[in-house]
């Protein structure tokens, strides 16, 4: 018997659920991008999106929209500020900063790493030590993710900036916010981030295919001498006035219709409210996991409660348990798709996303389905029943006036 027929729930950490309003905004014919009314409309969308991205990144720096997924923005960020033979420092906290570093390596960059633990956030103390030891200033940039979507950790970007400053080091701070932008606070200027990278398909509720880079004055200064710059990613050519320069060719018309609508929805709800919504939905998820983990089949991957992200929860199976039966039950029998463990956690973990266009019934529905799976598969016992009741109680408390 299956109960999956009805609206399918996609509870994976990207691509996330696209709101019907965003899908609707994209459902229209292409317009003339070269002039007339259509050209005017699209130019206005571009201008407003670039400006609103500054608000979302919290920067007065320059913003760029690439027709690419997050990996494209990784390459764009490296190409615009670095030169062949430069050294960068990767701060490991899971999969994604390391992946960014692999891209840099393939482009001719020397990559050093502050090794991390897949179960902890980056330790700013280690960053300070490593940079202090670099007395010749060989390291040109420090690359880190705000939320690592594989491990589920959140890194303290402000403290990492403080560590760089305490070491008296001049490296650029480059931050991947793909899994955290518009889910939790990110303060590019206030925190001293020089380059920030984002993507459309997670907190920004838009289909995959657009990614964003923001750069401050220090990054733009480095850009002037960077020899990895190529025509397509080039900030300088995208800084020119003509509309086609902004995309190095045809604008991604329909994705821009979608992005514009998504941003309108974001500002209508308000960034602070969005952050609070994510915090509470993550809190509800954690309340359920706090009960289920007593059953002995899985636990949080991230051991420290305040290092767990508000956008995704990674659950690590204990020895002798596998995630596949849980995911398969949720999908085949209940219509909920949970995220797979990836990287070092492949075959050992599963993930619950609570990022982007999600509300209480969606999270409670996902948690409820997971609890059905756990109970039905015999993965709960007397100590670990009632995770969903705990999540409901958490929200009831949080919402009580
Ligand atoms: C999803 C993700 C990426 C990769 O984005 P793609 O669009 O799949 O290329 C990079 N970094 C983080 C933190 C992510 O969550």
């Amino acid at each position: 018997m299956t109960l999956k027929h009805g609206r399918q729930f996609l509870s994976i950490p990207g691509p996330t659920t696209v709101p019907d309003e965003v899908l609707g905004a994209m459902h229209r014919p292409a317009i003339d991008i070269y002039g007339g009314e259509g050209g005017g409309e699209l130019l206005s969308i571009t201008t407003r999106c670039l400006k609103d991205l500054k608000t979302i990144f919290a920067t007065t720096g320059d913003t760029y929209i690439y027709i690419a997924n997050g990996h494209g923005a990784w390459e764009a960020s490296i190409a615009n500020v670095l030169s062949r033979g430069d050294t960068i420092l990767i701060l490991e906290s899971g999969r994604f900063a390391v992946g960014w570093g692999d891209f840099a390596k393939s482009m001719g960059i020397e990559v050093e790493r502050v090794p991390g633990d897949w179960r902890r956030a980056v330790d700013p103390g280690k960053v300070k030590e490593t940079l202090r030891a670099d007395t010749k200033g060989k390291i040109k940039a420090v690359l880190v993710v705000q939320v690592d979507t594989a491990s589920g950790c959140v890194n303290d970007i402000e403290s990492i900036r403080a560590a760089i400053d305490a070491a008296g080091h001049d490296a650029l701070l480059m931050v991947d916010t793909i899994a955290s932008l518009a889910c939790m606070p990110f303060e590019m200027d206030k925190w001293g981030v020089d380059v920030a990278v984002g993507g459309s398909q997670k907190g920004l509720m838009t289909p995959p295919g657009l990614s964003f880079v923001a750069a401050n004055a220090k990054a733009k200064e480095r850009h002037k001498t960077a020899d990895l710059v190529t025509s397509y990613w080039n900030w300088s050519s995208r800084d020119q006035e003509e509309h086609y320069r902004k995309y190095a060719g045809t604008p991604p018309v329909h994705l821009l219709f979608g992005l514009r609508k998504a941003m309108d929805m974001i500002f209508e709800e308000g960034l602070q409210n969005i952050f609070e919504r994510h915090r509470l939905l993550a809190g509800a998820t954690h309340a359920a996991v706090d009960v289920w983990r007593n059953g002995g089949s899985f636990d949080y991957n991230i051991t420290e409660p305040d290092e767990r992200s508000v956008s995704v929860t990674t659950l690590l199976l204990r020895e002798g348990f596998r995630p596949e039966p849980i995911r398969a039950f949720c999908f085949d029998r209940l219509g909920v798709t949970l995220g797979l463990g990836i990287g070092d956690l492949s075959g050992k973990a599963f993930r619950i996303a609570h990022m982007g266009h999600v509300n209480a019934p969606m999270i409670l529905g996902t948690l409820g389905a997971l609890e059905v799976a756990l109970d039905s598969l015999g993965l709960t016992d007397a100590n670990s029943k009632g995770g969903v009741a705990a999540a409901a109680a958490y929200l009831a408390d949080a919402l009580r006036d």
Side-chain angles (χ1 to χ4, degrees):
M1 177 60 201
T2 178
L3 301 175
K4 77 175 190 182
H5 298 283
R7 177 171 280 241
Q8 300 287 299
F9 268 34
L10 191 60
S11 297
I12 65 172
T16 59
T17 300
V18 179
D20 291 345
E21 294 91 324
V22 171
L23 291 173
M26 298 173 66
H27 192 79
R28 56 180 286 202
I31 56 178
D32 179 6
I33 57 171
Y34 297 105
E37 252 170 58
E41 180 186 353
L42 210 62
L43 178 60
S44 149
I45 289 177
T46 294
T47 309
R48 286 185 295 134
C49 284
L50 288 171
K51 179 172 149 286
D52 288 344
L53 277 171
K54 295 185 193 200
T55 305
I56 294 174
F57 279 115
T59 184
T60 58
D62 292 318
T63 48
Y64 301 91
I65 299 173
Y66 290 101
I67 305 170
N69 60 15
H71 284 70
W74 277 354
E75 185 160 323
S77 63
I78 296 161
N80 272 291
V81 295
L82 295 170
S83 298
R84 271 168 205 81
D86 278 355
T87 299
I88 61 171
L89 186 66
I90 294 293
L91 312 183
E92 186 185 15
S93 60
R95 173 76 205 113
F96 285 91
V98 174
W100 198 2
D102 291 343
F103 263 48
K105 196 168 180 188
S106 78
M107 295 163 76
I109 301 291
E110 302 289 327
V111 178
E112 291 182 6
R113 195 192 291 192
V114 173
D117 179 325
W118 270 69
R119 305 199 64 183
R120 291 295 308 268
V122 169
D123 173 1
K126 283 197 204 157
V127 179
K128 186 167 83 180
E129 261 170 49
T130 309
L131 291 176
R132 274 228 172 112
D134 179 35
T135 49
K136 296 207 174 82
K138 186 179 67 165
I139 294 166
K140 299 298 177 213
V142 173
L143 275 63
V144 64
V145 296
Q146 187 176 26
V147 165
D148 191 289
T149 328
S151 68
C153 85
V154 59
N155 288 312
D156 182 347
I157 303 301
E158 215 175 352
S159 297
I160 291 169
R161 171 83 259 170
I164 299 173
D165 292 345
H169 204 285
D170 193 38
L172 293 175
L173 175 57
M174 301 173 62
V175 181
D176 172 340
T177 70
I178 295 173
S180 49
L181 198 65
C183 299
M184 63 172 289
F186 179 75
E187 293 281 346
M188 177 158 168
D189 289 359
K190 205 158 107 197
W191 296 348
V193 174
D194 299 299
V195 178
V197 167
S200 57
Q201 80 274 25
K202 298 188 185 177
L204 288 171
M205 312 184 292
T206 302
L210 296 180
S211 53
F212 317 111
V213 178
N216 71 5
K218 182 171 170 182
K220 295 299 287 281
E221 193 54 39
R222 298 278 182 96
H223 170 72
K224 289 180 186 161
T225 53
D227 79 9
L228 282 174
V229 182
T230 55
S231 305
Y232 188 74
W233 305 121
N234 193 348
W235 289 341
S236 301
S237 65
R238 287 167 183 255
D239 282 337
Q240 295 175 61
E241 274 308 305
E242 300 98 323
H243 193 197
Y244 79 92
R245 301 267 192 201
K246 306 292 177 202
Y247 304 98
T250 305
V253 179
H254 289 83
L255 283 171
L256 290 172
F257 291 154
L259 178 66
R260 186 60 257 158
K261 185 66 189 179
M263 284 185 167
D264 290 344
M265 291 173 69
I266 286 170
F267 292 119
E268 195 179 318
E269 182 179 358
L271 282 167
Q272 294 309 319
N273 291 334
I274 291 175
F275 301 155
E276 185 63 3
R277 172 166 55 83
H278 280 80
R279 194 181 71 75
L280 293 178
L281 296 178
T285 305
H286 294 168
V289 174
D290 285 343
V291 173
W292 293 330
R293 70 196 291 226
N294 298 325
S297 55
F298 61 82
D299 203 345
Y300 291 104
N301 178 55
I302 297 300
T303 53
E304 289 298 312
D306 60 3
E307 294 177 1
R308 292 173 194 148
S309 85
V310 298
S311 44
V312 59
T313 298
T314 302
L315 298 169
L316 181 64
L317 277 293
R318 293 194 208 271
E319 208 52 47
F321 293 92
R322 293 184 314 116
E324 286 82 4
I326 302 173
R327 279 191 77 244
F329 194 106
C330 285
F331 180 69
D332 297 335
R333 313 286 293 280
L334 302 167
V336 171
T337 307
L338 296 173
L340 273 170
I342 58 171
D344 287 8
L345 298 181
S346 179
K348 296 181 189 161
F350 64 99
R351 296 178 294 166
I352 305 171
H354 25 85
M355 111 181 19
H357 190 60
V358 278
N359 61 12
M362 291 162 82
I363 288 298
L364 291 170
T366 293
L367 297 174
L370 179 52
E371 186 160 283
V372 170
L374 296 174
D375 285 347
S376 192
L377 292 168
L379 295 174
T380 45
D381 57 19
N383 293 324
S384 59
K385 279 197 189 294
V388 176
Y394 171 89
L395 289 181
D397 275 347
L399 298 179
R400 193 168 293 124
D401 288 323

